[in-house]
């Protein structure tokens, strides 16, 4: 055997031996998906608190609706405890009342414009 063959054989053996050791040292990637809905989105905060207490840090976060808001706060560096404090400080009744009144106002304007359009015909 020449030197290049011995070198190739030793290199191959090192790769075969080192690969399982290297693969075990990497932790698996963790993805977290948060669903939508106001109450469900707020419930995700508790899940984040449990993950924090277990030392589990997600590598990827995706969410829909309120889940995306909670996920964005978490991904931007807020702790689960801080997000919980934010959600408790919000006066939800006022928020939904304002949304209801805006929706009602928009619908009223749309109905008025339809009635006005129909009266010109």
């Amino acid at each position: 055997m020449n030197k290049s063959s011995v070198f190739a054989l030793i290199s191959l053996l090192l790769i075969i031996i080192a690969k399982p050791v290297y693969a075990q040292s990497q932790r698996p990637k963790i993805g977290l998906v948060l669903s939508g809905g106001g109450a469900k989105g707020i419930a995700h905060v508790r899940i984040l608190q449990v993950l924090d207490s277990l030392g589990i840090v997600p590598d990827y976060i995706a969410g829909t609706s309120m889940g995306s808001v909670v996920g964005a706060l978490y991904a931007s560096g807020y702790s689960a405890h801080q997000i919980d404090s934010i959600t408790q400080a919000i006066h939800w009744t006022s928020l939904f009342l304002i949304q209801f009144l805006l929706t009602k106002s928009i619908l009223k304007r749309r109905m008025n414009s339809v009635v006005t359009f129909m009266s010109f015909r």
Side-chain angles (χ1 to χ4, degrees):
M1 287 175 85
N2 60 16
K3 285 185 177 183
S4 62
S5 297
V6 172
F7 180 73
L9 183 60
I10 291 173
S11 298
L12 183 62
L13 286 174
L14 286 175
I15 290 171
I16 291 171
I17 293 170
K19 188 173 180 177
V21 173
Y22 177 72
Q24 290 174 357
S25 67
Q26 290 180 336
R27 71 172 183 82
K29 298 287 184 182
I30 298 171
L32 180 64
V33 180
L34 307 174
S35 65
K40 287 180 193 173
I42 301 305
H44 291 318
V45 177
R46 302 288 184 215
I47 299 299
L48 292 174
Q49 288 175 334
V50 171
L51 291 175
D52 280 349
S53 70
L54 295 173
I56 299 172
V57 179
D59 299 298
Y60 311 103
I61 301 175
T64 301
S65 191
M66 190 58 148
S68 66
V69 173
V70 171
L73 288 170
Y74 191 71
S76 64
Y78 285 90
S79 70
H81 180 69
Q82 289 171 320
I83 298 170
D84 187 42
S85 298
I86 291 169
T87 58
Q88 288 181 12
I90 295 173
H91 193 260
W92 293 100
T93 306
S94 298
L95 182 67
F96 291 125
L97 179 62
I98 291 168
Q99 183 179 3
F100 171 74
L101 293 174
L102 285 173
T103 304
K104 186 177 175 182
S105 172
I106 291 168
L107 288 175
K108 187 175 180 180
R109 277 190 275 151
R110 285 184 184 167
M111 289 301 293
N112 286 340
S113 62
V114 167
V115 169
T116 304
F117 176 74
M118 297 301 282
S119 65
F120 283 122
R121 293 185 120 205

